[in-house]
């Protein structure tokens, strides 16, 4: 059970920015900060690909409406990445069944992805871009900070991730009406484009 806190934290962070998790864990394993990272994540090609994708996401995630489109595309990617990374960590340690680790990582990633996507829909009901940039930057810093903390203090990082997840789910619940408004506007824009295309 020794890697369970790291698996939970990696799952939570994957739901927000899967590419940052792969890049940071691979980098920390590569420079010798932790022995819990599987060799597959430390490969140069994996690090380069994750780094490039992280940079693309860092830009896309700060642009209103594009961020929600990016979230929709990653509804499968983030939970899958959380499950795979968790399974690899468990396989490296052998203290936890791989299937169980994948379930924990994937489920946690899905929950945090719902929080991220939901809050962005609520934010996108406001036309100004500052909130998007601030939220995206805060998410990037949170993922980087908590994954780094997890390498040295995994239990503390897992507790913080759990608290942030609980707060996030509560915020999404409170913002349900704004999220519905965003979805209604998006549906109306699609219908308008469809009508214009027929004319």
């Amino acid at each position: 059970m020794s890697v369970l806190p790291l698996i939970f934290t990696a799952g939570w962070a994957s739901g927000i920015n899967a590419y940052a998790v792969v890049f940071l864990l691979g980098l920390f394993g590569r420079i010798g900060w932790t022995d819990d990272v599987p060799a597959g994540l430390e490969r140069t090609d994996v690090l380069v690909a994750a780094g490039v994708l992280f940079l693309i996401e860092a830009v896309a995630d700060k642009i209103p409406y594009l961020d929600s489109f990016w979230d929709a595309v990653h509804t499968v990617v983030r939970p899958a990445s959380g499950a795979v990374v968790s399974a690899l960590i468990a396989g490296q340690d052998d203290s936890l069944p791989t299937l169980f680790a994948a379930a924990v990582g994937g489920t946690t990633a899905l929950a945090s992805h719902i929080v991220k996507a939901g809050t962005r829909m609520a934010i996108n009901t406001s036309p100004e871009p500052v909130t998007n940039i601030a939220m995206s930057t805060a998410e990037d810093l949170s993922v980087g900070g908590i994954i780094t903390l997890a390498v040295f203090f995994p239990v503390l990082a897992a507790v913080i991730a759990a608290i942030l997840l609980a707060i996030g789910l509560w915020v999404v619940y409170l913002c349900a009406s704004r999220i519905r408004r965003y979805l209604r506007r998006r549906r109306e824009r699609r219908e308008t484009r469809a009508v214009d295309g027929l004319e």
Side-chain angles (χ1 to χ4, degrees), residues 28-180:
F28 294 157
R30 186 81 171 260
I31 63 180
W33 283 11
T34 177
D35 295 326
D36 292 327
V37 176
L41 296 183
E42 299 174 16
R43 290 171 33 186
T44 301
D45 58 335
V46 172
L47 288 172
V48 170
V52 169
L53 289 168
F54 166 68
L55 291 175
I56 294 171
E57 174 153 331
V59 174
D61 202 42
K62 293 174 176 60
I63 301 173
Y65 297 105
L66 178 58
D67 58 352
S68 287
F69 172 76
W70 187 267
D71 287 339
V73 170
H74 284 75
T75 299
V76 174
V77 175
R78 289 173 183 154
S81 179
V84 170
V85 169
S86 298
L88 290 172
I89 292 172
Q92 174 85 358
D93 185 80
D94 287 332
S95 66
L96 202 66
T98 302
L99 189 59
F100 175 74
V104 170
T107 302
T108 307
L110 178 60
S112 61
H113 169 74
I114 289 170
V115 169
K116 176 183 171 69
T119 53
R120 287 312 180 82
M121 287 180 191
I123 288 170
N124 281 332
T125 59
S126 172
E128 48 79 29
V130 177
T131 311
N132 295 74
I133 295 170
M135 179 64 78
S136 176
T137 302
E139 289 168 352
D140 292 342
L141 293 174
S142 297
V143 167
I146 291 179
I147 286 295
T148 303
L149 183 65
V151 169
F152 301 102
F153 304 102
V155 175
L156 177 59
V159 169
I160 294 172
I163 292 171
L164 290 174
L165 180 60
I167 292 171
L169 290 170
W170 177 244
V171 168
V172 168
Y173 173 75
L174 293 177
C175 292
S177 62
R178 293 185 68 130
I179 293 169
R180 284 193 295 270

